[in-house]
Amino acid sequence: MSDDEPKSAAEMKEIRLNRKLAQDAEGIKAMAEIAAADIAIRKRTADLRAMRLAKEAADRDKPAEPKVKRAAKKKRSI
């Protein structure tokens, strides 16, 4: 049967069903990818937060040495 011949009602129904099943499978796959990305983002955020809190705690325990300010420059008069 060539593509330009009309299809029977049963063939059209099967084509629509197969297309719907393919779309459903693609939707499930896309949702799984979104969920995996969300989990990865949450884990990375938690890791970064833990690192930041550890650094802040270390900074509190050992305060930074005060920076030495340079003497102010004299203004030149013209």
Side-chain angles (χ1 to χ4, degrees):
M1 197 181 243
S2 68
D3 287 338
D4 56 350
E5 291 183 33
K7 305 226 185 317
S8 70
E11 290 173 322
M12 292 301 295
K13 184 176 180 179
E14 184 176 350
I15 289 170
R16 283 193 298 271
L17 178 62
N18 288 340
R19 186 180 306 137
K20 178 161 179 18
L21 291 174
Q23 288 173 342
D24 289 347
E26 287 177 25
I28 290 169
K29 182 180 174 186
M31 291 302 290
E33 289 172 358
I34 290 169
D38 184 51
I39 290 169
I41 289 169
R42 288 176 188 269
K43 181 182 182 326
R44 188 168 50 241
T45 301
D47 291 345
L48 290 171
R49 182 173 188 266
M51 288 171 41
R52 178 180 53 84
L53 292 175
K55 181 183 182 310
E56 288 175 357
D59 288 349
R60 272 194 308 270
D61 292 343
K62 184 188 78 165
E65 294 180 17
K67 295 181 181 178
V68 178
K69 292 186 178 182
R70 289 194 228 162
K73 293 183 179 179
K74 290 184 178 181
K75 291 187 179 182
R76 292 173 67 186
S77 58
I78 300 176

Coordinates of all heavy atoms in Angstrom, one line a residue:
M1 N 0.9 -1.2 0.0 CA 0.0 0.0 0.0 C 0.9 1.2 0.0 O 1.8 1.4 0.8 CB -0.9 0.0 1.3 CG -2.1 0.9 1.2 SD -3.0 0.8 2.7 CE -4.5 0.1 2.1
S2 N 0.7 2.2 -0.9 CA 1.5 3.4 -0.9 C 0.9 4.4 -0.1 O -0.3 4.3 0.4 CB 1.6 3.9 -2.4 OG 0.4 4.3 -2.9
D3 N 1.6 5.5 0.2 CA 1.2 6.5 1.1 C 0.0 7.4 0.6 O -0.7 8.0 1.3 CB 2.3 7.5 1.5 CG 3.3 6.8 2.4 OD1 2.9 5.8 3.1 OD2 4.5 7.2 2.5
D4 N -0.1 7.4 -0.8 CA -1.2 8.3 -1.3 C -2.5 7.6 -1.3 O -3.5 8.2 -1.6 CB -0.8 8.8 -2.7 CG -0.5 7.7 -3.7 OD1 -0.4 6.5 -3.2 OD2 -0.3 8.0 -4.9
E5 N -2.6 6.3 -1.0 CA -3.9 5.6 -1.0 C -4.6 5.9 0.3 O -4.0 6.0 1.3 CB -3.7 4.1 -1.1 CG -3.1 3.7 -2.5 CD -3.0 2.1 -2.6 OE1 -3.8 1.5 -2.0 OE2 -2.1 1.7 -3.2
P6 N -5.9 6.0 0.2 CA -6.7 6.3 1.4 C -6.6 5.1 2.4 O -6.6 4.0 2.0 CB -8.1 6.5 0.9 CG -8.2 6.1 -0.5 CD -6.8 6.0 -1.0
K7 N -6.6 5.4 3.6 CA -6.5 4.4 4.7 C -7.9 4.1 5.2 O -8.8 4.9 5.2 CB -5.6 4.9 5.8 CG -4.2 5.4 5.4 CD -3.2 4.8 6.2 CE -1.8 5.3 6.0 NZ -1.3 5.4 4.6
S8 N -8.0 2.9 5.7 CA -9.3 2.5 6.2 C -9.5 3.1 7.6 O -8.5 3.6 8.2 CB -9.4 0.9 6.3 OG -8.5 0.5 7.3
A9 N -10.7 3.0 8.1 CA -10.9 3.6 9.4 C -10.1 2.9 10.5 O -9.6 3.5 11.4 CB -12.4 3.5 9.7
A10 N -10.0 1.6 10.4 CA -9.2 0.8 11.4 C -7.8 1.2 11.3 O -7.1 1.3 12.4 CB -9.4 -0.7 11.1
E11 N -7.2 1.4 10.1 CA -5.8 1.9 10.0 C -5.6 3.2 10.6 O -4.6 3.5 11.3 CB -5.4 1.9 8.5 CG -5.2 0.5 7.9 CD -5.0 0.5 6.5 OE1 -5.5 1.4 5.8 OE2 -4.2 -0.3 6.0
M12 N -6.5 4.1 10.4 CA -6.4 5.5 10.9 C -6.5 5.5 12.4 O -5.8 6.2 13.1 CB -7.6 6.4 10.4 CG -7.4 6.7 8.9 SD -5.9 7.5 8.5 CE -6.1 9.0 9.3
K13 N -7.4 4.6 13.0 CA -7.5 4.5 14.4 C -6.2 4.0 15.0 O -5.8 4.5 16.1 CB -8.7 3.5 14.8 CG -9.0 3.4 16.2 CD -10.2 2.5 16.5 CE -10.4 2.4 18.0 NZ -11.6 1.6 18.3
E14 N -5.6 3.0 14.4 CA -4.4 2.4 14.9 C -3.2 3.5 14.8 O -2.4 3.6 15.7 CB -4.0 1.2 14.1 CG -2.7 0.5 14.6 CD -2.4 -0.8 13.8 OE1 -3.2 -1.2 13.0 OE2 -1.3 -1.3 14.1
I15 N -3.2 4.3 13.8 CA -2.2 5.3 13.6 C -2.3 6.3 14.7 O -1.4 6.7 15.4 CB -2.3 6.0 12.2 CG1 -1.8 5.0 11.2 CG2 -1.5 7.3 12.2 CD1 -2.1 5.5 9.7
R16 N -3.6 6.7 15.0 CA -3.9 7.7 16.1 C -3.5 7.1 17.4 O -2.9 7.8 18.3 CB -5.3 8.2 16.1 CG -5.7 9.1 15.0 CD -7.0 9.8 15.2 NE -8.1 8.8 15.2 CZ -8.8 8.4 14.1 NH1 -8.5 9.0 13.0 NH2 -9.8 7.5 14.2
L17 N -3.8 5.9 17.7 CA -3.4 5.2 18.9 C -1.9 5.1 19.1 O -1.4 5.5 20.2 CB -4.1 3.8 19.0 CG -3.7 3.0 20.3 CD1 -4.3 3.7 21.5 CD2 -4.3 1.6 20.1
N18 N -1.2 4.8 18.0 CA 0.3 4.7 18.1 C 0.9 6.1 18.4 O 1.8 6.2 19.1 CB 0.8 4.1 16.8 CG 0.5 2.6 16.7 OD1 0.3 1.9 17.7 ND2 0.6 2.0 15.5
R19 N 0.3 7.1 17.7 CA 0.8 8.4 17.9 C 0.6 8.9 19.4 O 1.5 9.5 20.0 CB 0.1 9.4 17.0 CG 0.7 10.8 17.0 CD 0.0 11.8 16.1 NE 0.0 11.3 14.7 CZ -1.1 11.3 13.9 NH1 -2.2 11.9 14.3 NH2 -1.0 10.8 12.7
K20 N -0.6 8.6 19.9 CA -0.9 8.9 21.3 C 0.0 8.2 22.3 O 0.5 8.8 23.2 CB -2.3 8.7 21.6 CG -2.7 9.0 23.1 CD -4.2 9.1 23.3 CE -4.6 9.4 24.7 NZ -3.6 9.9 25.6
L21 N 0.3 6.9 22.0 CA 1.2 6.2 22.9 C 2.6 6.8 22.9 O 3.3 6.9 23.9 CB 1.2 4.7 22.5 CG -0.1 3.9 22.8 CD1 0.0 2.5 22.2 CD2 -0.4 3.9 24.3
A22 N 3.0 7.2 21.7 CA 4.4 7.8 21.5 C 4.4 9.1 22.3 O 5.4 9.4 23.0 CB 4.7 7.9 20.1
Q23 N 3.4 9.9 22.2 CA 3.3 11.2 22.9 C 3.3 11.0 24.4 O 4.0 11.7 25.1 CB 2.1 12.0 22.4 CG 2.2 12.5 21.0 CD 0.9 13.2 20.6 OE1 -0.1 13.0 21.1 NE2 1.0 14.0 19.5
D24 N 2.6 10.0 24.8 CA 2.5 9.7 26.3 C 3.9 9.3 26.8 O 4.4 9.7 27.8 CB 1.5 8.6 26.6 CG 0.1 9.1 26.4 OD1 -0.2 10.3 26.3 OD2 -0.8 8.2 26.4
A25 N 4.6 8.4 26.0 CA 5.9 8.0 26.4 C 6.9 9.2 26.4 O 7.7 9.3 27.4 CB 6.4 6.9 25.5
E26 N 6.8 10.1 25.5 CA 7.7 11.2 25.4 C 7.4 12.2 26.6 O 8.3 12.7 27.2 CB 7.5 12.0 24.1 CG 8.1 11.4 22.9 CD 7.8 12.1 21.6 OE1 7.6 13.4 21.7 OE2 7.9 11.5 20.6
G27 N 6.1 12.3 27.0 CA 5.8 13.1 28.1 C 6.3 12.6 29.4 O 6.8 13.3 30.3
I28 N 6.2 11.2 29.6 CA 6.7 10.6 30.8 C 8.3 10.8 30.9 O 8.8 11.1 31.9 CB 6.4 9.1 30.8 CG1 4.8 9.0 31.0 CG2 7.1 8.4 31.9 CD1 4.3 7.6 30.8
K29 N 8.9 10.6 29.7 CA 10.4 10.8 29.7 C 10.8 12.2 30.1 O 11.7 12.5 30.8 CB 10.9 10.4 28.3 CG 12.4 10.5 28.2 CD 12.8 10.2 26.8 CE 14.3 10.4 26.6 NZ 14.8 10.2 25.2
A30 N 10.0 13.2 29.5 CA 10.3 14.6 29.8 C 10.1 14.9 31.3 O 10.9 15.6 31.9 CB 9.4 15.5 28.9
M31 N 9.1 14.4 31.8 CA 8.8 14.7 33.3 C 9.9 14.1 34.1 O 10.3 14.6 35.1 CB 7.4 14.1 33.7 CG 6.3 14.9 33.1 SD 6.3 16.7 33.5 CE 5.9 16.6 35.2
A32 N 10.4 12.9 33.7 CA 11.5 12.2 34.5 C 12.7 13.1 34.4 O 13.5 13.2 35.4 CB 11.7 10.8 34.0
E33 N 13.0 13.6 33.2 CA 14.2 14.5 33.1 C 14.1 15.7 33.9 O 15.1 16.2 34.5 CB 14.4 14.8 31.6 CG 14.8 13.7 30.7 CD 14.9 14.0 29.3 OE1 14.5 15.1 28.9 OE2 15.2 13.1 28.5
I34 N 12.9 16.3 34.0 CA 12.7 17.5 34.8 C 12.9 17.2 36.2 O 13.5 18.0 37.0 CB 11.3 18.1 34.5 CG1 11.2 18.7 33.1 CG2 10.9 19.2 35.5 CD1 9.8 19.1 32.6
A35 N 12.3 16.1 36.7 CA 12.5 15.7 38.1 C 13.9 15.4 38.4 O 14.4 15.8 39.5 CB 11.6 14.4 38.4
A36 N 14.7 14.8 37.5 CA 16.1 14.5 37.8 C 16.9 15.8 37.9 O 17.7 16.0 38.8 CB 16.7 13.6 36.7
A37 N 16.6 16.8 37.0 CA 17.2 18.1 37.0 C 16.9 18.8 38.3 O 17.8 19.4 39.0 CB 16.8 18.9 35.8
D38 N 15.7 18.7 38.8 CA 15.3 19.4 40.0 C 16.0 18.8 41.2 O 16.5 19.5 42.1 CB 13.8 19.2 40.2 CG 13.2 20.0 41.4 OD1 13.6 21.2 41.6 OD2 12.5 19.3 42.3
I39 N 16.2 17.5 41.2 CA 16.9 16.8 42.3 C 18.3 17.3 42.3 O 18.9 17.6 43.4 CB 16.8 15.3 42.2 CG1 15.3 14.9 42.5 CG2 17.7 14.6 43.1 CD1 15.0 13.4 42.2
A40 N 18.9 17.3 41.1 CA 20.3 17.7 41.0 C 20.5 19.2 41.5 O 21.5 19.5 42.2 CB 20.8 17.6 39.6
I41 N 19.6 20.1 41.2 CA 19.7 21.5 41.6 C 19.6 21.5 43.1 O 20.3 22.3 43.8 CB 18.6 22.3 40.9 CG1 19.0 22.5 39.4 CG2 18.4 23.7 41.6 CD1 17.8 23.0 38.6
R42 N 18.6 20.8 43.7 CA 18.4 20.9 45.1 C 19.7 20.3 45.9 O 20.1 20.9 46.9 CB 17.2 20.0 45.5 CG 15.9 20.7 45.1 CD 14.7 19.9 45.5 NE 13.5 20.4 44.9 CZ 12.7 21.3 45.6 NH1 13.0 21.6 46.8 NH2 11.6 21.7 45.0
K43 N 20.3 19.3 45.3 CA 21.5 18.7 46.0 C 22.6 19.7 45.9 O 23.3 20.0 46.9 CB 21.9 17.4 45.3 CG 23.1 16.8 45.9 CD 23.5 15.5 45.2 CE 24.7 14.8 45.8 NZ 25.7 15.6 46.4
R44 N 22.8 20.3 44.7 CA 23.9 21.3 44.5 C 23.7 22.5 45.4 O 24.6 23.0 46.1 CB 24.0 21.7 43.1 CG 25.2 22.6 42.7 CD 25.4 22.8 41.3 NE 24.2 23.2 40.5 CZ 23.6 22.5 39.6 NH1 24.1 21.3 39.2 NH2 22.5 22.9 39.0
T45 N 22.4 22.9 45.6 CA 22.1 24.1 46.4 C 22.4 23.7 47.9 O 23.0 24.5 48.6 CB 20.6 24.5 46.3 OG1 20.4 24.8 44.9 CG2 20.3 25.6 47.2
A46 N 22.1 22.5 48.3 CA 22.3 22.1 49.7 C 23.8 22.0 49.9 O 24.3 22.4 51.0 CB 21.7 20.7 50.0
D47 N 24.6 21.5 49.0 CA 26.1 21.4 49.1 C 26.7 22.8 49.2 O 27.5 23.0 50.1 CB 26.7 20.7 47.9 CG 26.3 19.2 47.9 OD1 25.9 18.7 48.9 OD2 26.5 18.5 46.9
L48 N 26.2 23.7 48.4 CA 26.8 25.1 48.4 C 26.4 25.8 49.7 O 27.2 26.5 50.3 CB 26.3 25.9 47.2 CG 26.8 25.5 45.9 CD1 26.1 26.2 44.8 CD2 28.3 25.8 45.8
R49 N 25.2 25.5 50.2 CA 24.8 26.1 51.5 C 25.7 25.6 52.6 O 26.1 26.4 53.5 CB 23.3 25.8 51.7 CG 22.8 26.5 53.0 CD 21.3 26.3 53.1 NE 20.8 27.0 54.2 CZ 20.6 26.5 55.5 NH1 20.9 25.3 55.7 NH2 20.1 27.3 56.4
A50 N 25.9 24.3 52.6 CA 26.7 23.7 53.7 C 28.2 24.3 53.6 O 28.7 24.6 54.7 CB 26.8 22.2 53.5
M51 N 28.7 24.5 52.4 CA 30.0 25.0 52.3 C 30.0 26.5 52.8 O 31.0 26.9 53.5 CB 30.5 25.0 50.8 CG 30.8 23.6 50.4 SD 31.1 23.4 48.6 CE 32.0 24.8 48.1
R52 N 29.0 27.3 52.4 CA 28.9 28.7 52.9 C 28.8 28.7 54.4 O 29.5 29.5 55.0 CB 27.7 29.4 52.2 CG 27.6 30.8 52.7 CD 26.4 31.5 52.1 NE 25.1 30.8 52.2 CZ 24.3 30.8 53.3 NH1 24.7 31.6 54.3 NH2 23.2 30.1 53.3
L53 N 28.0 27.9 55.0 CA 27.8 27.9 56.4 C 29.1 27.5 57.1 O 29.5 28.1 58.2 CB 26.7 27.0 56.9 CG 25.3 27.5 56.5 CD1 24.2 26.4 56.8 CD2 25.0 28.8 57.1
A54 N 29.8 26.5 56.6 CA 31.1 26.1 57.2 C 32.1 27.3 57.1 O 32.9 27.5 58.0 CB 31.6 24.9 56.5
K55 N 32.2 28.0 55.9 CA 33.1 29.1 55.8 C 32.7 30.2 56.7 O 33.6 30.8 57.4 CB 33.1 29.6 54.3 CG 34.0 30.7 54.1 CD 33.9 31.3 52.7 CE 34.9 32.4 52.4 NZ 34.9 33.5 53.3
E56 N 31.4 30.5 56.9 CA 31.0 31.6 57.8 C 31.4 31.2 59.2 O 31.9 32.0 60.0 CB 29.5 31.8 57.7 CG 29.1 32.5 56.4 CD 27.6 32.7 56.2 OE1 26.9 32.2 57.1 OE2 27.2 33.3 55.2
A57 N 31.3 29.9 59.6 CA 31.6 29.5 61.0 C 33.1 29.6 61.2 O 33.6 30.1 62.2 CB 31.2 28.0 61.2
A58 N 33.9 29.2 60.2 CA 35.4 29.4 60.3 C 35.8 30.8 60.4 O 36.7 31.2 61.1 CB 36.0 28.7 59.1
D59 N 35.1 31.7 59.6 CA 35.4 33.1 59.7 C 35.1 33.7 61.0 O 35.8 34.6 61.5 CB 34.7 33.9 58.5 CG 35.2 33.6 57.2 OD1 36.3 33.0 57.1 OD2 34.6 33.9 56.2
R60 N 34.0 33.2 61.6 CA 33.6 33.7 63.0 C 34.7 33.3 64.0 O 35.0 34.1 64.9 CB 32.3 33.2 63.4 CG 31.1 34.0 63.0 CD 29.8 33.6 63.7 NE 29.6 32.2 63.6 CZ 28.8 31.6 62.6 NH1 28.4 32.4 61.7 NH2 28.6 30.3 62.6
D61 N 35.2 32.1 63.9 CA 36.2 31.6 64.8 C 37.5 32.3 64.7 O 38.3 32.5 65.6 CB 36.4 30.1 64.6 CG 35.2 29.3 65.0 OD1 34.3 29.8 65.7 OD2 35.1 28.1 64.6
K62 N 37.9 32.7 63.4 CA 39.1 33.3 63.2 C 38.8 34.6 62.4 O 38.8 34.6 61.2 CB 40.1 32.4 62.4 CG 41.4 33.0 62.1 CD 42.2 32.1 61.1 CE 41.7 32.5 59.8 NZ 42.5 32.0 58.7
P63 N 38.6 35.7 63.1 CA 38.3 37.0 62.4 C 39.5 37.4 61.5 O 40.6 37.2 61.8 CB 38.0 38.0 63.4 CG 38.5 37.4 64.7 CD 38.7 35.9 64.5
A64 N 39.2 38.0 60.4 CA 40.2 38.4 59.4 C 41.0 39.6 60.0 O 40.4 40.4 60.8 CB 39.5 38.9 58.1
E65 N 42.2 39.7 59.7 CA 43.1 40.8 60.2 C 42.6 42.1 59.5 O 42.2 42.1 58.4 CB 44.5 40.5 59.8 CG 45.1 39.3 60.6 CD 46.6 39.1 60.2 OE1 47.2 40.1 59.7 OE2 47.1 38.0 60.5
P66 N 42.5 43.2 60.3 CA 42.1 44.4 59.7 C 43.0 44.9 58.6 O 44.2 44.7 58.7 CB 42.1 45.4 60.9 CG 42.9 44.8 61.9 CD 42.9 43.3 61.7
K67 N 42.4 45.4 57.6 CA 43.2 45.9 56.5 C 43.9 47.3 56.8 O 43.2 48.1 57.5 CB 42.4 46.1 55.2 CG 41.8 44.8 54.7 CD 41.0 45.0 53.4 CE 40.4 43.7 52.9 NZ 39.6 43.9 51.8
V68 N 45.1 47.5 56.4 CA 45.8 48.7 56.7 C 45.3 49.7 55.6 O 45.4 49.5 54.4 CB 47.3 48.5 56.6 CG1 48.0 49.8 56.8 CG2 47.7 47.5 57.6
K69 N 44.8 50.9 56.1 CA 44.4 51.9 55.1 C 45.6 52.7 54.7 O 46.5 53.0 55.5 CB 43.3 52.8 55.8 CG 42.1 52.1 56.0 CD 41.0 53.1 56.5 CE 39.7 52.4 56.8 NZ 38.7 53.3 57.2
R70 N 45.6 53.1 53.5 CA 46.7 53.9 53.0 C 46.4 55.4 53.3 O 45.2 55.8 53.5 CB 46.7 53.8 51.4 CG 47.3 52.5 50.9 CD 47.6 52.6 49.5 NE 47.1 51.5 48.8 CZ 46.9 51.5 47.5 NH1 47.2 52.5 46.7 NH2 46.4 50.4 46.9
A71 N 47.4 56.1 53.4 CA 47.2 57.5 53.8 C 46.5 58.2 52.6 O 46.7 57.9 51.4 CB 48.6 58.2 54.0
A72 N 45.7 59.2 52.9 CA 44.9 59.9 51.9 C 45.8 60.7 51.1 O 46.8 61.3 51.6 CB 43.8 60.7 52.5
K73 N 45.6 60.7 49.8 CA 46.4 61.5 48.9 C 46.1 63.0 49.1 O 45.0 63.4 49.3 CB 46.1 61.2 47.4 CG 46.6 59.7 47.1 CD 46.4 59.5 45.6 CE 46.8 58.1 45.2 NZ 46.5 57.8 43.8
K74 N 47.1 63.8 49.0 CA 46.9 65.3 49.0 C 46.3 65.8 47.8 O 46.6 65.3 46.7 CB 48.3 66.0 49.2 CG 48.9 65.8 50.6 CD 50.1 66.7 50.7 CE 50.7 66.5 52.1 NZ 51.9 67.4 52.2
K75 N 45.4 66.7 47.9 CA 44.8 67.3 46.7 C 45.8 68.4 46.2 O 46.4 69.1 46.9 CB 43.5 68.0 47.0 CG 42.4 67.0 47.4 CD 41.1 67.7 47.5 CE 40.0 66.7 47.8 NZ 38.7 67.4 47.9
R76 N 45.9 68.4 44.9 CA 46.8 69.4 44.2 C 46.0 70.6 43.9 O 44.9 70.6 43.5 CB 47.3 68.8 42.9 CG 48.3 67.7 43.1 CD 48.7 67.0 41.8 NE 49.5 67.9 41.0 CZ 49.9 67.7 39.8 NH1 49.5 66.6 39.2 NH2 50.6 68.6 39.2
S77 N 46.6 71.7 44.3 CA 45.9 73.0 43.9 C 46.6 73.5 42.7 O 47.8 73.4 42.5 CB 46.0 74.0 45.1 OG 47.4 74.2 45.4
I78 N 45.8 74.1 41.8 CA 46.3 74.6 40.6 C 46.5 76.0 40.6 O 46.0 76.8 41.2 CB 45.2 74.3 39.4 CG1 45.0 72.8 39.3 CG2 45.7 74.8 38.1 CD1 44.0 72.4 38.4

